[in-house]
Amino acid sequence: GEDVEQSLFLSVREGDSSVINCTYTDSSSTYLYWYKQEPGAGLQLLTYIFSNMDMKQDQRLTVLLNKKDKHLSLRIADTQTGDSAIYFCAESKSGNTGKLIFGQGTTLQVKP
Amino acid sequence: KAGVTQTPRYLIKTRGQQVTLSCSPISGHRSVSWYQQTPGQGLQFLFEYFSETQRNKGNFPGRFSGRQFSNSRSEMNVSTLELGDSALYLCASSLSQEYNEQFFGPGTRLTVL
């Protein structure tokens, strides 16, 4: 079946690294995404990874994928107060990328 | 390049009424998907349209419907509103069915009294 799970809350100090974790159950998932949602706003696509990749780096963001354990993580280096938001993990399948299955979201609190 | 726009941004309705929400995708994007976001259920997929055809549908009752026009703009309609329909409705667009990046609009906040 389709299920994506995330821890609900993470608190870090400004300047530290943040690691947000996600697990998924559908082994046929092809794309895995990280979205950011700030209060009162829609979803902003941060990055995505194709399921045949292990890692993707984009400036301060590093995505790690362990396909065997169906585990995805997002590392934010040098976390800033502006990174405070809800982060959603999502999955989709090739040829069906219009349907995203989301996790419940992780609230990241960055303390100054 | 303008992003995804949704109108109206806020809406208040009463039970039993119906509502129509509108979404204009990014210029050139042909696929539009709709999602419902609530505190209890999180983000749930409603349906996807591509070239005026519904390609995918989530597990929502028939009161939820949508359509897409030839210019790729999309509308969703909810009939016989219930209190539980109160939610943020998000629209996302992408270039095509195969293109994997979806870009979201700011959403329409629907409150049902």
Short mmCIF file of all heavy atoms in Angstrom, two decimals, chain A residues 31 33 35 37 40-43 45 48 88 94-100 102-103, chain B residues 9 33 35 37 43 45 48 55-56 88 90 97-102 104-106:
data_model
loop_
_atom_site.label_atom_id
_atom_site.label_comp_id
_atom_site.label_asym_id
_atom_site.label_seq_id
_atom_site.Cartn_x
_atom_site.Cartn_y
_atom_site.Cartn_z
N TYR A 31 9.82 8.60 -7.53
CA TYR A 31 10.34 9.90 -7.14
C TYR A 31 9.99 10.18 -5.68
O TYR A 31 8.88 9.86 -5.24
CB TYR A 31 9.75 11.01 -8.01
CG TYR A 31 10.15 10.95 -9.46
CD1 TYR A 31 9.30 10.43 -10.41
CD2 TYR A 31 11.39 11.42 -9.86
CE1 TYR A 31 9.66 10.36 -11.74
CE2 TYR A 31 11.77 11.36 -11.20
CZ TYR A 31 10.91 10.84 -12.13
OH TYR A 31 11.28 10.79 -13.44
N TYR A 33 10.20 13.34 -2.76
CA TYR A 33 10.27 14.79 -2.74
C TYR A 33 10.34 15.32 -1.32
O TYR A 33 9.85 14.68 -0.38
CB TYR A 33 9.00 15.39 -3.37
CG TYR A 33 8.65 14.89 -4.74
CD1 TYR A 33 7.98 13.69 -4.89
CD2 TYR A 33 8.94 15.64 -5.87
CE1 TYR A 33 7.62 13.22 -6.16
CE2 TYR A 33 8.59 15.18 -7.13
CZ TYR A 33 7.93 13.98 -7.26
OH TYR A 33 7.58 13.53 -8.52
N TYR A 35 9.07 18.96 0.38
CA TYR A 35 8.39 20.24 0.23
C TYR A 35 8.46 20.99 1.55
O TYR A 35 8.50 20.38 2.62
CB TYR A 35 6.91 20.05 -0.14
CG TYR A 35 6.66 19.75 -1.60
CD1 TYR A 35 6.68 18.45 -2.07
CD2 TYR A 35 6.37 20.78 -2.49
CE1 TYR A 35 6.43 18.17 -3.41
CE2 TYR A 35 6.11 20.51 -3.84
CZ TYR A 35 6.15 19.21 -4.28
OH TYR A 35 5.89 18.94 -5.61
N GLN A 37 6.52 24.13 3.79
CA GLN A 37 5.32 24.97 3.89
C GLN A 37 5.49 25.93 5.05
O GLN A 37 5.63 25.53 6.20
CB GLN A 37 4.07 24.12 4.09
CG GLN A 37 2.77 24.95 4.05
CD GLN A 37 1.52 24.08 4.14
OE1 GLN A 37 1.50 23.11 4.88
NE2 GLN A 37 0.48 24.44 3.41
N GLY A 40 0.49 29.87 6.43
CA GLY A 40 -0.40 30.58 5.51
C GLY A 40 -0.02 30.49 4.05
O GLY A 40 -0.60 31.19 3.22
N ALA A 41 0.92 29.63 3.73
CA ALA A 41 1.39 29.56 2.35
C ALA A 41 1.16 28.17 1.76
O ALA A 41 0.84 27.22 2.47
CB ALA A 41 2.88 29.91 2.30
N GLY A 42 1.37 28.07 0.45
CA GLY A 42 1.30 26.78 -0.22
C GLY A 42 2.59 26.01 -0.01
O GLY A 42 3.40 26.33 0.87
N LEU A 43 2.81 25.01 -0.81
CA LEU A 43 3.99 24.15 -0.68
C LEU A 43 5.07 24.59 -1.66
O LEU A 43 4.79 24.82 -2.84
CB LEU A 43 3.61 22.70 -0.96
CG LEU A 43 2.58 22.07 -0.03
CD1 LEU A 43 2.19 20.69 -0.51
CD2 LEU A 43 3.13 21.98 1.37
N LEU A 45 8.50 23.37 -3.46
CA LEU A 45 9.34 22.22 -3.75
C LEU A 45 10.79 22.57 -3.44
O LEU A 45 11.34 23.50 -4.00
CB LEU A 45 9.20 21.81 -5.22
CG LEU A 45 10.09 20.67 -5.70
CD1 LEU A 45 9.76 19.38 -4.95
CD2 LEU A 45 9.94 20.46 -7.20
N TYR A 48 14.10 16.93 -4.99
CA TYR A 48 13.55 15.59 -5.16
C TYR A 48 14.69 14.67 -5.57
O TYR A 48 15.75 15.11 -6.00
CB TYR A 48 12.44 15.58 -6.21
CG TYR A 48 12.90 15.90 -7.61
CD1 TYR A 48 13.31 14.90 -8.48
CD2 TYR A 48 12.94 17.23 -8.04
CE1 TYR A 48 13.74 15.21 -9.76
CE2 TYR A 48 13.37 17.54 -9.31
CZ TYR A 48 13.77 16.53 -10.17
OH TYR A 48 14.20 16.86 -11.42
N PHE A 88 7.46 18.49 4.34
CA PHE A 88 6.72 17.30 3.93
C PHE A 88 7.55 16.44 3.01
O PHE A 88 8.16 16.92 2.04
CB PHE A 88 5.44 17.69 3.18
CG PHE A 88 4.39 18.33 4.05
CD1 PHE A 88 4.33 19.71 4.17
CD2 PHE A 88 3.47 17.55 4.73
CE1 PHE A 88 3.36 20.31 4.97
CE2 PHE A 88 2.49 18.13 5.52
CZ PHE A 88 2.44 19.52 5.65
N SER A 94 6.55 6.72 -11.49
CA SER A 94 6.80 7.09 -12.87
C SER A 94 5.52 6.95 -13.68
O SER A 94 4.81 5.95 -13.55
CB SER A 94 7.88 6.20 -13.47
OG SER A 94 8.10 6.53 -14.82
N GLY A 95 5.22 7.96 -14.50
CA GLY A 95 4.00 7.93 -15.29
C GLY A 95 2.78 8.33 -14.50
O GLY A 95 1.68 8.42 -15.04
N ASN A 96 2.95 8.57 -13.23
CA ASN A 96 1.82 8.94 -12.37
C ASN A 96 2.25 10.04 -11.42
O ASN A 96 1.86 10.06 -10.25
CB ASN A 96 1.36 7.71 -11.59
CG ASN A 96 -0.06 7.86 -11.07
OD1 ASN A 96 -0.77 8.79 -11.44
ND2 ASN A 96 -0.45 6.96 -10.19
N THR A 97 3.10 10.92 -11.93
CA THR A 97 3.71 11.91 -11.04
C THR A 97 2.75 13.01 -10.64
O THR A 97 3.08 13.84 -9.82
CB THR A 97 4.95 12.53 -11.70
OG1 THR A 97 4.56 13.07 -12.97
CG2 THR A 97 6.05 11.51 -11.88
N GLY A 98 1.55 13.00 -11.22
CA GLY A 98 0.56 13.98 -10.80
C GLY A 98 -0.09 13.65 -9.48
O GLY A 98 -0.81 14.47 -8.92
N LYS A 99 0.14 12.46 -8.97
CA LYS A 99 -0.44 12.05 -7.70
C LYS A 99 0.67 11.90 -6.68
O LYS A 99 1.48 10.97 -6.76
CB LYS A 99 -1.18 10.72 -7.87
CG LYS A 99 -1.79 10.21 -6.56
CD LYS A 99 -2.49 8.87 -6.77
CE LYS A 99 -3.05 8.34 -5.46
NZ LYS A 99 -3.71 7.03 -5.63
N LEU A 100 0.71 12.81 -5.74
CA LEU A 100 1.70 12.75 -4.67
C LEU A 100 1.05 12.19 -3.41
O LEU A 100 -0.07 12.58 -3.07
CB LEU A 100 2.25 14.15 -4.37
CG LEU A 100 3.06 14.83 -5.47
CD1 LEU A 100 3.44 16.24 -5.05
CD2 LEU A 100 4.31 14.02 -5.78
N PHE A 102 1.69 12.17 0.52
CA PHE A 102 2.46 12.96 1.47
C PHE A 102 2.54 12.30 2.84
O PHE A 102 1.60 11.61 3.27
CB PHE A 102 1.81 14.34 1.66
CG PHE A 102 2.02 15.29 0.52
CD1 PHE A 102 1.11 15.35 -0.52
CD2 PHE A 102 3.13 16.12 0.50
CE1 PHE A 102 1.30 16.23 -1.57
CE2 PHE A 102 3.32 17.01 -0.55
CZ PHE A 102 2.40 17.06 -1.58
N GLY A 103 3.63 12.57 3.53
CA GLY A 103 3.70 12.29 4.95
C GLY A 103 2.95 13.38 5.71
O GLY A 103 2.45 14.33 5.12
N ARG B 9 -8.93 33.30 -2.42
CA ARG B 9 -7.99 32.84 -1.41
C ARG B 9 -8.72 32.37 -0.15
O ARG B 9 -8.24 31.47 0.53
CB ARG B 9 -7.02 33.96 -1.04
CG ARG B 9 -6.04 34.33 -2.13
CD ARG B 9 -5.03 33.20 -2.39
NE ARG B 9 -4.44 32.67 -1.19
CZ ARG B 9 -3.40 33.22 -0.57
NH1 ARG B 9 -2.84 34.30 -1.05
NH2 ARG B 9 -2.92 32.64 0.52
N SER B 33 -3.16 19.22 -10.56
CA SER B 33 -3.61 18.31 -9.50
C SER B 33 -4.20 19.11 -8.36
O SER B 33 -3.77 20.25 -8.12
CB SER B 33 -2.45 17.46 -8.97
OG SER B 33 -1.91 16.64 -9.99
N TYR B 35 -5.34 19.03 -4.13
CA TYR B 35 -5.13 18.37 -2.85
C TYR B 35 -5.95 19.08 -1.77
O TYR B 35 -6.17 20.29 -1.84
CB TYR B 35 -3.65 18.41 -2.44
CG TYR B 35 -2.74 17.67 -3.38
CD1 TYR B 35 -2.26 18.28 -4.53
CD2 TYR B 35 -2.35 16.36 -3.11
CE1 TYR B 35 -1.43 17.59 -5.41
CE2 TYR B 35 -1.52 15.67 -3.98
CZ TYR B 35 -1.07 16.29 -5.12
OH TYR B 35 -0.24 15.61 -5.98
N GLN B 37 -5.97 19.82 2.32
CA GLN B 37 -5.12 19.79 3.52
C GLN B 37 -5.94 20.12 4.74
O GLN B 37 -6.54 21.21 4.84
CB GLN B 37 -3.94 20.76 3.39
CG GLN B 37 -2.97 20.66 4.57
CD GLN B 37 -1.76 21.56 4.43
OE1 GLN B 37 -1.80 22.58 3.73
NE2 GLN B 37 -0.66 21.17 5.05
N LEU B 43 -2.36 16.10 4.04
CA LEU B 43 -2.49 16.40 2.61
C LEU B 43 -2.98 15.17 1.87
O LEU B 43 -2.33 14.14 1.87
CB LEU B 43 -1.14 16.82 2.03
CG LEU B 43 -0.73 18.25 2.26
CD1 LEU B 43 0.78 18.39 2.22
CD2 LEU B 43 -1.36 19.16 1.20
N PHE B 45 -4.65 13.66 -1.83
CA PHE B 45 -4.83 13.85 -3.26
C PHE B 45 -6.31 13.75 -3.62
O PHE B 45 -6.99 12.81 -3.22
CB PHE B 45 -4.03 12.78 -4.00
CG PHE B 45 -4.26 12.73 -5.48
CD1 PHE B 45 -3.67 13.66 -6.33
CD2 PHE B 45 -5.06 11.75 -6.03
CE1 PHE B 45 -3.88 13.61 -7.69
CE2 PHE B 45 -5.27 11.68 -7.39
CZ PHE B 45 -4.68 12.61 -8.23
N GLU B 48 -6.38 14.62 -10.59
CA GLU B 48 -5.42 15.21 -11.51
C GLU B 48 -6.07 15.30 -12.88
O GLU B 48 -6.75 14.37 -13.32
CB GLU B 48 -4.16 14.34 -11.62
CG GLU B 48 -3.14 14.91 -12.61
CD GLU B 48 -2.15 13.88 -13.10
OE1 GLU B 48 -2.28 12.70 -12.77
OE2 GLU B 48 -1.22 14.27 -13.83
N ARG B 55 -7.21 12.23 -15.02
CA ARG B 55 -6.29 11.11 -15.17
C ARG B 55 -6.21 10.25 -13.91
O ARG B 55 -5.93 9.06 -13.96
CB ARG B 55 -4.91 11.64 -15.53
CG ARG B 55 -3.91 10.57 -15.85
CD ARG B 55 -2.65 11.13 -16.45
NE ARG B 55 -1.69 10.04 -16.60
CZ ARG B 55 -0.73 9.77 -15.73
NH1 ARG B 55 -0.58 10.52 -14.66
NH2 ARG B 55 0.09 8.76 -15.91
N ASN B 56 -6.43 10.87 -12.78
CA ASN B 56 -6.33 10.17 -11.51
C ASN B 56 -7.38 10.72 -10.57
O ASN B 56 -7.70 11.92 -10.63
CB ASN B 56 -4.97 10.47 -10.85
CG ASN B 56 -3.97 9.37 -11.05
OD1 ASN B 56 -4.26 8.21 -10.80
ND2 ASN B 56 -2.80 9.74 -11.52
N LEU B 88 -7.82 23.62 3.60
CA LEU B 88 -7.05 24.38 2.62
C LEU B 88 -6.99 23.52 1.36
O LEU B 88 -6.54 22.38 1.41
CB LEU B 88 -5.64 24.67 3.14
CG LEU B 88 -4.72 25.47 2.20
CD1 LEU B 88 -5.24 26.90 2.05
CD2 LEU B 88 -3.29 25.48 2.74
N LEU B 90 -5.40 22.96 -2.19
CA LEU B 90 -4.19 23.33 -2.92
C LEU B 90 -4.22 22.78 -4.33
O LEU B 90 -4.63 21.64 -4.56
CB LEU B 90 -2.96 22.79 -2.21
CG LEU B 90 -2.65 23.41 -0.84
CD1 LEU B 90 -1.71 22.52 -0.04
CD2 LEU B 90 -2.04 24.80 -1.01
N GLN B 97 2.35 14.93 -17.79
CA GLN B 97 2.14 13.77 -16.93
C GLN B 97 3.46 13.17 -16.49
O GLN B 97 3.59 12.64 -15.41
CB GLN B 97 1.35 12.70 -17.69
CG GLN B 97 -0.03 13.10 -18.07
CD GLN B 97 -0.64 12.10 -19.04
OE1 GLN B 97 -0.10 11.86 -20.10
NE2 GLN B 97 -1.75 11.53 -18.65
N GLU B 98 4.46 13.22 -17.36
CA GLU B 98 5.72 12.55 -17.06
C GLU B 98 6.69 13.45 -16.31
O GLU B 98 7.65 12.98 -15.73
CB GLU B 98 6.39 12.08 -18.36
CG GLU B 98 5.61 10.99 -19.07
CD GLU B 98 5.50 9.75 -18.20
OE1 GLU B 98 6.44 9.45 -17.45
OE2 GLU B 98 4.45 9.08 -18.26
N TYR B 99 6.46 14.74 -16.36
CA TYR B 99 7.38 15.67 -15.71
C TYR B 99 7.12 15.67 -14.23
O TYR B 99 6.01 15.85 -13.78
CB TYR B 99 7.20 17.06 -16.30
CG TYR B 99 8.35 17.98 -16.03
CD1 TYR B 99 9.58 17.77 -16.64
CD2 TYR B 99 8.21 19.04 -15.14
CE1 TYR B 99 10.64 18.61 -16.38
CE2 TYR B 99 9.27 19.87 -14.89
CZ TYR B 99 10.49 19.67 -15.50
OH TYR B 99 11.53 20.49 -15.25
N ASN B 100 8.16 15.47 -13.44
CA ASN B 100 7.91 15.11 -12.05
C ASN B 100 7.83 16.26 -11.08
O ASN B 100 7.55 16.04 -9.92
CB ASN B 100 9.00 14.14 -11.59
CG ASN B 100 10.38 14.74 -11.76
OD1 ASN B 100 10.80 15.00 -12.88
ND2 ASN B 100 11.08 14.98 -10.68
N GLU B 101 8.08 17.48 -11.51
CA GLU B 101 8.06 18.59 -10.56
C GLU B 101 6.69 19.25 -10.55
O GLU B 101 6.21 19.72 -11.57
CB GLU B 101 9.12 19.62 -10.92
CG GLU B 101 10.53 19.13 -10.73
CD GLU B 101 11.55 20.22 -10.96
OE1 GLU B 101 11.33 21.35 -10.51
OE2 GLU B 101 12.56 19.93 -11.61
N GLN B 102 6.06 19.24 -9.38
CA GLN B 102 4.78 19.91 -9.21
C GLN B 102 4.99 21.21 -8.44
O GLN B 102 5.67 21.23 -7.41
CB GLN B 102 3.80 19.03 -8.44
CG GLN B 102 3.22 17.90 -9.25
CD GLN B 102 2.02 17.29 -8.59
OE1 GLN B 102 1.19 17.96 -7.98
NE2 GLN B 102 1.90 15.98 -8.71
N PHE B 104 3.11 24.34 -6.48
CA PHE B 104 1.84 24.58 -5.80
C PHE B 104 1.46 26.05 -5.76
O PHE B 104 2.33 26.93 -5.68
CB PHE B 104 1.92 24.06 -4.36
CG PHE B 104 1.77 22.57 -4.25
CD1 PHE B 104 2.82 21.72 -4.55
CD2 PHE B 104 0.55 22.01 -3.85
CE1 PHE B 104 2.68 20.35 -4.46
CE2 PHE B 104 0.40 20.64 -3.76
CZ PHE B 104 1.47 19.81 -4.07
N GLY B 105 0.16 26.27 -5.77
CA GLY B 105 -0.37 27.60 -5.53
C GLY B 105 -0.50 27.85 -4.04
O GLY B 105 -0.23 26.97 -3.23
N PRO B 106 -0.97 29.06 -3.66
CA PRO B 106 -1.07 29.42 -2.24
C PRO B 106 -2.26 28.78 -1.55
O PRO B 106 -2.33 28.77 -0.31
CB PRO B 106 -1.22 30.94 -2.27
CG PRO B 106 -1.85 31.21 -3.59
CD PRO B 106 -1.31 30.18 -4.54
#
